[in-house]
Every structure is written in C-alpha cells, then in structure tokens.
Amino acid sequence: MKLNLLDLDADGLAAWFAELGEKPFRARQVLRWVHQFGEDDFGRMSDVAKSLQARLADLAEVRLPQVLRDATAADGTRKWLLDVGNGNAVECVFIPEENRGTLCISTQAGCALDCAFCSTGKQGFNRNLSAGEIVGQLWWAKKMLGDFRAPGGAQGRRAAETDFSLERIISNVVLMGMGEPLANYENVLSALRLMLDDNAYGLSRRRVTVSTSGIVPAMDRLRDECPVALAVSLHTPNDALRDRLVPINRKYPLDELMAACRRYLEKSPRDFITFEYVMLDGVNDSDAHARELLRLVRDVPCKFNLIPFNPFPASGFKRSPALRVRRFAEILMQAHIVTTTRKTRGEDIDAACGQLAGQVRDRTQRRAKRIITLAETAS
Ligand code: SAH
Ligand code: SF4
C-alpha cells in the first residue's frame, strides 16, 4: 500500500522528503497544501514541480477515511460517521457556539477501558486509529464546513502572542470522541503535532484539549512532549467508587492521578486542569460527594465540567435531575471552583458524549450475524 501522507507530522514528512533527496521547503509546501488548503490531489499542488508531483503520486497518497453519514441536528451540531475499514466506523462531532466552534474527535475504534457508563466502552476495543485517521477527521470537518484557506492567500507569519484560531470556523479541537487518546499515544502525538503546526492547522495549544480517564505515565509523556490543555475524567471523589465506574483507577488510583495533574500543570498551556464529572442519579451526585471532591482536589488548580449522563440502551444508569446537578455545582462554586454544566447537544442525532457509535455497534452486530448466517448457509 502507498504511504499515507496524513500519517506524517512535519518532521516525519521532512525526513521522508530527505530520503527522496528533496529539499525541506518542498516538504513544507506539500504540508501546507494538504493541511492548510485541504488539497488531496498532488496534481493540483500548483507550485510543486510536475516531476515531483508525479513522483509523489507514485509513492504516496492522501488517504482519507470515507464519510458514511453526515447528519445535522436541530441545534446545529453536525456529526460525521467515518469508515475506518473492516466494519469499524468512528464519529466526529462539530459543535457550533456563539464565540467558538469545537470539533470533537475520536482516537480509537471502541475502547478497552470499559467505564461503566460509556457506550464506547461497552462496545469493546477494536483498534487504534492511525495518525491519518485522527487528523483525517479534522481534515474532513474543515472540508465540509468550508474552513480551509484558499491557496495563495496571505500566509502571514504568526507573532508568538497572536491567536488566529478565532478567525476559523473550527477554533477548538477536543479529543473527547470515541476511545482513550492516551492509550493510542504515538498516533495521537503525531496528530496533535499537525494540529499545532503553523504549516498545518495552526491551532493554539490552549485550544486543543486531550481528555483522559487517567493513564498516569502517558500524562507525564504528554506534559514533556506536547503539552496541550488537559481534561481528566474524574467522575468520583474516592477510590472505592472510581474502581467500579472507571476501572483504570485500579491501576492508577486517585492519589497518583492527582499528583500527575499537579506535575502536568508545571508545563500546561492552561493554568488549570478541567475535571469532567458525569452526573449519575443516586450514584455519585450527592452533597457529600461534592464535599469529598473539594477535599480531593484542594491542591490542584482546576475547573469542573459536570456532564449530565447521556443514556443509552441497557446502561443501567439514570441522569441526575437538573436540580441535583445545580445543587452539586453550587457546592463546588461556593468553594470558588469555576463549574460549568455541559449542555447536551445533538441529542436528536445521538451525538452527545458517551453515545457515539451506538448505532455503529448495532450495525456491526447485524453484519456479524449476516456473516454467520452466510457461513451456515455455505457449510
Ligand atoms: N476516553 C476519554 C475521552 C473520551 S470520553 C475519557 O474518558 O476521558 C469523553 C467524556 O465523555 C469523558 O469524560 C467520559 O467519561 C464521558 N462520557 C462517557 N460516557 C458518557 C455518557 N453516557 N454520558 C455522559 N458522559 C459520558
Ligand atoms: Fe474509554 Fe473514555 Fe469511554 Fe472510559 S469513558 S470507556 S476511557 S472512551
């Protein structure tokens, strides 16, 4: 199979061009064509010499996942279902808001970590997405939303303090779709580097957020190798409950997780960690839980994002009532912790947190059944 250029970050592309005996600025040109102008055809990269265009087409391609479905919800949330081969599909969701546009990206087909309240976890682990499949979601979303630049437009050198993100439709990227980003570290790292590169997507570190259920050694690596904004899926104030709801806690318990958060903050582009907390009726949402949380996070500068649980079939959990969520938030806010409650978006297209790809799984199961039936017929 041909090399997929989407899998290479700027250094990777420069190294490959060097192997071909091509100059580094040629690699930068191609990088810009692909990731700034959204061009996947070498023949249309007009300032690349014809001979190099032909050579590239011979050896490589810009291989994008196929878009299986494109749905827009009543509130403007838009969801794409992307085929990643072998009956696996992943989802990518664009959430427009007044002052920003956020793209939520998947990093794995399925997830091995099996959090009790998550539909992706219930699906089990299929495989890691390649860097190209991760960044390919951003590429497609920009293509579909008309968010790529026109070639030949002012390039402009970015002053260190300038944040151009708000000039674009997609101003923020969150790795909060299907999968655990830090369990697919290398590929996520290449994808992040492309998102941040000024010759590619040029997003500011503060506007790219990795969400993790708490894989401590990988949090340390991210801090050292590519610090971006960090969200940690906390969900409970003590180990006993977290061991049950977020099983990775048995390996990296809360005291280690809190220590890793403090270390992360030494290099983070933001001076706080965002703690995500899914509100499960009667499970983790009492006043006592909120007060216990305050003790847990007292040494970690943080904000809280409460996520009302999004139900899916046979989850066994219920969403906390709105009043309970409000009361819980009040206790945190009285302790001067900035607390937001996530609005549920895109419910009519199953695009809310933790609901992604429920239908994909059904489809996969149907396909599996069909294959079994066919096998039985054949034998
Ligand atoms: N694996 C990473 C990122 C993907 S999940 C993580 O766990 O952080 C993104 C967020 O959605 C996490 O905070 C996750 O706990 C939350 N989530 C999962 N299932 C949910 C559900 N059914 N309702 C609400 N939030 C959910
Ligand atoms: Fe995986 Fe995150 Fe779902 Fe847990 S919540 S199963 S880590 S995707």
Side-chain angles (χ1 to χ4, degrees):
M1 207 189 284
K2 286 184 185 174
L3 175 72
N4 186 3
L5 290 194
L6 284 184
D7 282 330
L8 301 180
D9 60 18
D11 287 349
L13 198 66
W16 186 67
F17 269 61
E19 269 172 43
L20 296 182
E22 296 287 346
K23 297 246 162 48
F25 88 94
R26 293 281 172 211
R28 276 197 300 279
Q29 267 179 329
V30 171
L31 195 71
R32 281 208 289 268
W33 275 107
V34 176
H35 299 288
Q36 285 197 339
F37 311 142
E39 185 54 73
D40 60 347
D41 180 347
F42 299 121
R44 284 202 289 261
M45 300 183 179
S46 52
D47 55 4
V48 175
K50 282 271 181 271
S51 56
L52 178 55
Q53 285 180 5
R55 215 169 159 209
L56 289 174
D58 229 22
L59 300 168
E61 62 187 333
V62 179
R63 193 164 58 247
L64 289 149
Q66 199 196 333
V67 179
L68 294 174
R69 212 180 309 148
D70 175 355
T72 304
D75 65 10
T77 302
R78 189 160 168 191
K79 179 173 87 166
W80 296 277
L81 182 68
L82 302 171
D83 185 10
V84 291
N86 293 330
N88 289 319
V90 296
E91 289 180 327
C92 165
V93 179
F94 176 66
I95 306 146
E97 286 173 287
E98 215 165 273
N99 53 356
R100 64 181 169 196
T102 303
L103 189 71
C104 178
I105 284 182
S106 296
T107 55
Q108 299 181 308
C111 181
L113 299 189
D114 201 23
C115 300
F117 47 79
C118 173
S119 105
T120 304
K122 294 289 149 245
Q123 181 182 161
F125 177 67
N126 295 313
R127 72 171 175 83
N128 281 330
L129 300 189
S130 65
E133 287 166 338
I134 297 169
V135 92
Q137 296 169 59
L138 177 54
W139 194 97
W140 264 128
K142 282 182 91 78
K143 187 59 111 188
M144 302 278 205
L145 294 166
D147 198 27
F148 277 120
R149 296 174 195 202
Q155 185 56 50
R157 188 180 288 273
R158 170 157 104 179
E161 70 280 7
T162 325
D163 181 356
F164 282 143
S165 312
L166 289 178
E167 291 171 13
R168 314 237 59 92
I169 296 171
I170 297 173
S171 61
N172 295 55
V173 170
V174 296
L175 275 57
M176 289 186 189
M178 298 166 67
E180 166 54 50
L182 296 187
N184 182 13
Y185 186 84
E186 298 296 339
N187 295 344
V188 163
L189 186 65
S190 300
L192 286 174
R193 288 189 165 140
L194 282 169
M195 290 175 200
L196 301 178
D197 199 299
D198 277 349
N199 288 310
Y201 297 92
L203 287 157
S204 108
R205 285 180 189 282
R206 302 155 55 83
R207 294 185 176 279
V208 176
T209 301
V210 166
S211 172
T212 180
S213 54
I215 302 186
V216 165
M219 288 166 66
D220 285 328
R221 277 193 74 185
L222 188 69
R223 166 194 108 126
D224 293 333
E225 294 174 359
C226 190
V228 291
L230 188 70
V232 171
S233 293
L234 195 55
H235 304 318
T236 80
N238 61 59
D239 282 318
L241 190 54
R242 200 163 190 271
D243 280 351
R244 270 207 297 131
L245 295 181
V246 185
I248 190 73
N249 195 68
R250 296 174 206 157
K251 198 159 176 194
Y252 306 113
L254 283 170
D255 57 344
E256 287 181 30
L257 182 57
M258 291 303 118
C261 288
R262 284 195 297 273
R263 288 194 297 277
Y264 196 90
L265 284 171
E266 291 164 10
K267 297 198 185 160
S268 169
R270 296 260 190 203
D271 56 6
F272 59 89
I273 301 283
T274 301
F275 286 125
E276 296 161 278
Y277 197 98
V278 61
M279 297 295 288
L280 303 165
D281 186 24
V283 175
N284 65 351
D285 63 348
S286 71
D287 288 0
H289 287 127
R291 285 192 291 268
E292 200 180 355
L293 264 185
L294 293 177
R295 284 194 295 279
L296 177 71
V297 305
R298 70 183 161 226
D299 298 329
V300 184
C302 62
K303 293 186 181 176
F304 265 83
N305 190 213
L306 306 180
I307 317 174
F309 171 64
N310 291 309
F312 55 92
S315 74
F317 293 104
K318 282 202 308 233
R319 177 183 292 182
S320 306
L323 225 108
R324 182 89 296 272
V325 179
R326 208 174 317 146
R327 176 73 193 125
F328 198 93
E330 271 165 19
I331 295 176
L332 300 179
M333 287 189 292
Q334 273 159 12
H336 309 291
I337 297 182
V338 173
T339 303
T340 50
T341 299
R342 196 172 297 174
K343 269 193 275 170
T344 294
R345 300 282 306 249
E347 262 184 314
D348 46 339
I349 54 168
D350 280 343
C353 305
Q355 286 185 319
L356 299 183
Q359 291 163 351
V360 183
R361 184 192 41 197
D362 292 351
R363 203 181 51 119
T364 315
Q365 281 170 348
R366 269 206 307 280
R367 183 176 300 178
K369 250 188 228 152
R370 218 169 33 237
I371 292 168
I372 292 164
T373 320
L374 284 174
E376 279 166 1
T377 321
S379 62

